[in-house]
Amino acid sequence: MVPPEGLRQSEGNSHYGDIPIYLSSHSAEFYFHPELFQVDGQGRLTAAAGVPPDAFTAEGQFWGNPLYDWEGHKRQVFLFWKERIHWCSRLYDAIRIDTPAFRTYCPSSPGPKAPRRGTGEPGPGLELLQLLQTASPKLELIAEDLGDLDQDALHFVRTCGIPGDEVMVFAFDPQGES
């Protein structure tokens, strides 16, 4: 597919995109490819995205987005992700993506009152990131860091070969490490 006319202004300008890792349960991707998400036989979510309690909220957060079935993605050799990144490469020169979520993710039971699990489940990690870099070598990936990464996530981002970003308000935090 070709991006609509006018999205790239000129060869001299850089276009920076920000793509979420999680999609909506109302998205075309979820509707047409439920096998790539954690759903039951009727297509209902068996797990949803969220985060455990952290510095931002003592209760954790429930996002409600469908979680990927990473084994299903591996069976399809991550075709969904290759296509998604290829489309981004036609629109942008660089994209920021939630790279730590490729390392681990935090499943919650569906429903906003569900308890948050405090431990992360393993994601596809470097296997997927390296495949994305190979699939679209001209697209620069930038690892998202919203200032709340634990030491393991920081190590993953620093060693994955993808440059990271830093939210300025967290870069000069007088209460924490700057």
Side-chain angles (χ1 to χ4, degrees), residues 11-26:
E11 289 299 316
N13 292 338
S14 293
H15 294 82
Y16 181 81
D18 187 27
I19 66 167
I21 188 167
Y22 297 118
L23 303 173
S24 167
S25 60
H26 302 290

Side-chain angles (χ1 to χ4, degrees), residues 3-167:
E5 266 322 313
L7 282 181
R8 290 197 182 220
Q9 297 170 6
S10 74
E11 289 299 316
N13 292 338
S14 293
H15 294 82
Y16 181 81
D18 187 27
I19 66 167
I21 188 167
Y22 297 118
L23 303 173
S24 167
S25 60
H26 302 290
S27 68
E29 294 86 354
F30 182 75
Y31 181 81
F32 287 107
H33 298 287
E35 72 279 6
L36 297 177
F37 298 90
Q38 295 182 30
V39 296
D40 64 16
Q42 276 65 55
R44 293 183 300 250
L45 298 180
T46 58
V51 293
D54 60 15
F56 296 110
T57 174
E59 297 83 38
Q61 297 176 40
F62 178 76
W63 298 334
N65 304 78
L67 288 175
Y68 297 106
D69 172 7
W70 289 118
E71 289 304 315
H73 283 268
K74 283 182 185 180
R75 283 190 296 278
Q76 293 190 3
V77 197
F78 296 108
L79 179 61
F80 168 87
W81 283 95
K82 287 190 256 185
E83 289 176 348
R84 189 173 186 202
I85 292 301
H86 179 71
W87 175 253
C88 287
S89 75
R90 302 196 62 159
L91 298 173
Y92 309 111
D93 299 303
I95 59 165
R96 183 179 76 154
I97 191 164
D98 188 359
T99 308
F102 287 133
R103 184 185 68 84
T104 60
Y105 63 95
C106 183
S108 292
S109 299
K113 300 288 184 194
R116 314 300 174 255
R117 291 191 206 163
T119 59
E121 298 291 325
L126 286 176
E127 178 183 3
L128 177 54
L129 289 174
Q130 290 169 344
L131 183 126
L132 296 180
Q133 289 175 305
T134 302
S136 292
K138 291 186 179 184
L139 178 66
E140 182 178 359
L141 299 178
I142 300 166
E144 179 182 274
D145 178 357
L146 298 180
D148 61 340
L149 299 181
D150 63 25
Q151 290 302 314
D152 289 338
L154 283 170
H155 177 73
F156 178 76
V157 169
R158 289 181 183 136
T159 59
C160 72
I162 297 172
D165 68 353
E166 188 72 39
V167 177

